[in-house]
């Protein structure tokens, strides 16, 4: 399970180092643009989790919205294997999609990480939630 927040730095070539404690699970990973409108981050899946997501999408009837999801999600997925230093070189298109600069944040989501530019993450964290009422309602439904 991926939880917590990890600050990472992207070098001038576009490489990021996966946090050491997650390198075994993320030795082979998939990075894909988040398909949710208004959430400009990348999703980082270990290969075994990605295969489940991919199988679910592929198994759906080939309607117009599913074809669009396949194009935007499956079609832009990039497979990586960590180099000897535990790094991946993000493609320019992925970096551009998420507006990634030097300082990044990996946010645990259970089965995956979200990879955000630090300034975008800070804005989201500090209250720029699209639907505040729905968020509060969801919080109230949790028992913690």
């Amino acid at each position: 399970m991926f939880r917590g927040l990890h600050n990472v730095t992207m070098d001038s070539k576009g490489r990021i180092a996966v946090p050491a404690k997650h390198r075994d699970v993320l030795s082979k990973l998939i990075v894909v643009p988040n398909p949710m409108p208004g959430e400009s981050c990348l999703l980082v899946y270990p290969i075994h989790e990605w295969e489940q997501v991919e199988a679910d999408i592929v198994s759906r009837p080939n309607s117009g919205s599913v074809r669009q999801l396949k194009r935007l999600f499956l079609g832009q997925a990039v497979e990586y294997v960590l180099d000897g230093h535990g790094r991946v070189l993000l493609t320019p298109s992925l970096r551009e999609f998420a507006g990634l600069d030097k300082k990044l944040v990996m946010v645990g989501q259970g089965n995956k990480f979200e990879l955000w530019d630090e300034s975008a993450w800070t804005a989201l964290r500090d209250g720029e939630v699209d639907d505040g009422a729905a968020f509060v309602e969801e919080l109230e439904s949790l028992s913690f």
Side-chain angles (χ1 to χ4, degrees):
M1 295 297 282
F2 301 117
R3 61 180 70 90
L5 193 76
H6 303 275
N7 292 300
V8 295
T9 303
M10 184 170 60
D11 70 15
S12 61
K13 295 180 181 178
R15 294 179 298 201
I16 63 164
V18 171
K21 72 186 240 177
H22 298 294
R23 288 182 186 167
D24 286 343
V25 177
L26 291 172
S27 61
K28 189 172 185 183
L29 56 101
I30 301 291
V31 179
V32 63
N34 186 349
M36 297 301 292
E39 295 184 8
S40 297
C41 67
L42 302 176
L43 304 178
V44 180
Y45 288 90
I47 191 69
H48 67 277
E49 289 288 343
W50 172 255
E51 288 169 345
Q52 294 175 30
V53 170
E54 187 175 47
D56 179 40
I57 294 169
V58 170
S59 71
R60 295 174 185 261
N62 204 27
S63 66
S65 59
V66 171
R67 285 193 308 276
Q68 185 69 357
L69 179 60
K70 287 178 181 178
R71 290 179 193 121
L72 296 177
F73 200 52
L74 302 181
Q76 296 185 82
V78 179
E79 184 175 320
Y80 292 102
V81 176
L82 297 184
D83 70 11
H85 301 285
R87 300 174 302 190
V88 294
L89 173 63
L90 297 174
T91 64
S93 61
L94 288 174
R95 295 190 313 254
E96 182 180 329
F97 172 85
L100 301 181
D101 199 6
K102 186 174 181 166
K103 293 182 177 183
L104 311 178
V105 178
M106 291 180 72
V107 183
Q109 297 295 295
N111 68 331
K112 65 184 173 289
F113 278 108
E114 292 179 339
L115 182 63
W116 291 85
D117 183 78
E118 184 180 64
S119 61
W121 168 252
T122 300
L124 179 73
R125 181 200 64 203
D126 290 348
E128 295 178 21
V129 177
D130 288 341
D131 187 353
F135 181 67
V136 169
E137 184 177 324
E138 191 65 30
L139 280 177
E140 289 174 344
S141 73
L142 297 174
S143 57
F144 54 93

